[in-house]
Amino acid sequence: NFMLTQPHSVSESPGETVTISCTRSSGDIANNYVQWYRQRPGSSPTTVIYEDTQRPSGVPDRFSGSIDRSSNSASLTISGLKTEDEADYYCQSYADNNWMFGGGTKLTVL
Amino acid sequence: EVQLVESGGGLVQPGGSLRLSCEAAGLTFSNHWMTWIRQAPGKGLEWVSNIKRDGSEKYYGDSVKGRFTISRDNAQNSLYLQMNSLRAEDTAVYYCARLIYNNGYHWDYWGQGTLVTVSS
């Protein structure tokens, strides 16, 4: 099994850009798609990025995803931060019928 | 509109059993893999189990393997999780979610969750 490691928390000001990383412990990050889920307090998670870079309908293009094979990591970038972006963000991937989440990153927009 | 509604959570003693249900509406239930995912209080998300469209394949996370059983009834548009030999560390909100495939898999709809508390 592999692990996905995220920073515990990040903070940034409204209007700025923030990037959340997700590093895979073993196996090539490019071998299996990475998803990003947002969870606001008291709510169920929702998808903001799937298949590394794809945005579901309704997710603004301020949200983008990427992978970097050199660091074996994925990243979620949110530009033009709004207070409504404040939430927990989880990366997720899978391999061999094991489905893993990162530990989650609390985004504070202050 | 797709709706997933979990039920069956509650307080149970260590070593006890509980059966969770997830009723689906607004989708052709039998066309989709389904998943249970849990979240301990104040903690992150943890994948619990997947089940194939017709129930012929089932997969479990290491922490629940041998104790939990996933099943479904496509005629009733329902997903289930039978939880046995419950432990304090199984205390969590349990979500059901639809697993969809495009070029890869991801969960596009989640229920609101049902809380399971394991305590004496």
Side-chain angles (χ1 to χ4, degrees):
Chain A
N1 289 355
F2 63 95
M3 293 175 56
L4 297 171
T5 300
Q6 301 178 233
H8 182 69
S9 63
V10 296
S11 62
E12 192 50 88
S13 302
E16 298 298 317
T17 297
V18 70
T19 297
I20 301 172
S21 62
C22 171
T23 303
R24 180 165 168 160
S25 62
S26 61
D28 190 339
I29 190 78
N31 281 354
N32 308 97
Y33 285 117
V34 175
Q35 281 62 236
W36 290 90
Y37 298 91
R38 173 178 63 196
Q39 186 177 34
R40 294 186 169 121
S43 296
S44 303
T46 60
T47 311
V48 292
I49 294 289
Y50 66 97
E51 293 173 11
D52 296 343
T53 62
Q54 303 302 302
R55 276 179 294 107
S57 60
V59 174
D61 60 5
R62 301 186 296 107
F63 289 78
S64 63
S66 63
I67 63 167
D68 179 357
R69 296 184 76 176
S70 66
S71 59
N72 212 37
S73 65
S75 293
L76 171 68
T77 298
I78 310 171
S79 61
L81 277 168
K82 301 183 178 184
T83 55
E84 67 203 45
D85 297 329
E86 192 161 286
D88 294 326
Y89 290 84
Y90 296 90
C91 62
Q92 176 268 318
S93 190
Y94 51 86
D96 300 327
N97 288 306
N98 271 301
W99 301 68
M100 303 301 296
F101 287 95
T105 299
K106 182 177 182 60
L107 170 62
T108 302
V109 182
L110 36 66
Chain B
E1 179 191 1
V2 174
Q3 284 194 317
L4 301 171
V5 180
E6 302 93 337
S7 61
L11 176 63
V12 60
Q13 292 188 338
S17 298
L18 210 57
R19 188 194 196 209
L20 305 184
S21 300
C22 170
E23 189 169 334
L27 74 163
T28 304
F29 183 71
S30 58
N31 284 357
H32 301 285
W33 285 71
M34 296 295 294
T35 300
W36 287 100
I37 293 160
R38 70 184 182 183
Q39 186 171 34
K43 302 296 185 183
L45 301 169
E46 180 187 12
W47 169 70
V48 173
S49 183
N50 285 349
I51 186 168
K52 194 177 180 179
R53 291 175 289 273
D54 61 358
S56 62
E57 293 181 34
K58 304 174 184 181
Y59 302 96
Y60 299 93
D62 290 342
S63 61
V64 307
K65 208 171 291 184
R67 300 187 300 122
F68 290 11
T69 302
I70 192 171
S71 62
R72 65 192 296 161
D73 183 340
N74 287 342
Q76 298 294 322
N77 289 338
S78 293
L79 174 72
Y80 305 102
L81 186 68
Q82 178 66 43
M83 305 185 295
N84 298 332
S85 303
L86 281 162
R87 307 166 180 166
E89 53 265 36
D90 296 317
T91 295
V93 173
Y94 285 74
Y95 297 99
C96 67
R98 183 176 82 165
L99 186 62
I100 66 165
Y101 180 81
N102 189 24
N103 295 305
Y105 289 99
H106 74 280
W107 296 290
D108 65 342
Y109 286 99
W110 300 58
Q112 84 291 345
T114 187
L115 176 62
V116 172
T117 303
V118 184
S119 175
S120 54

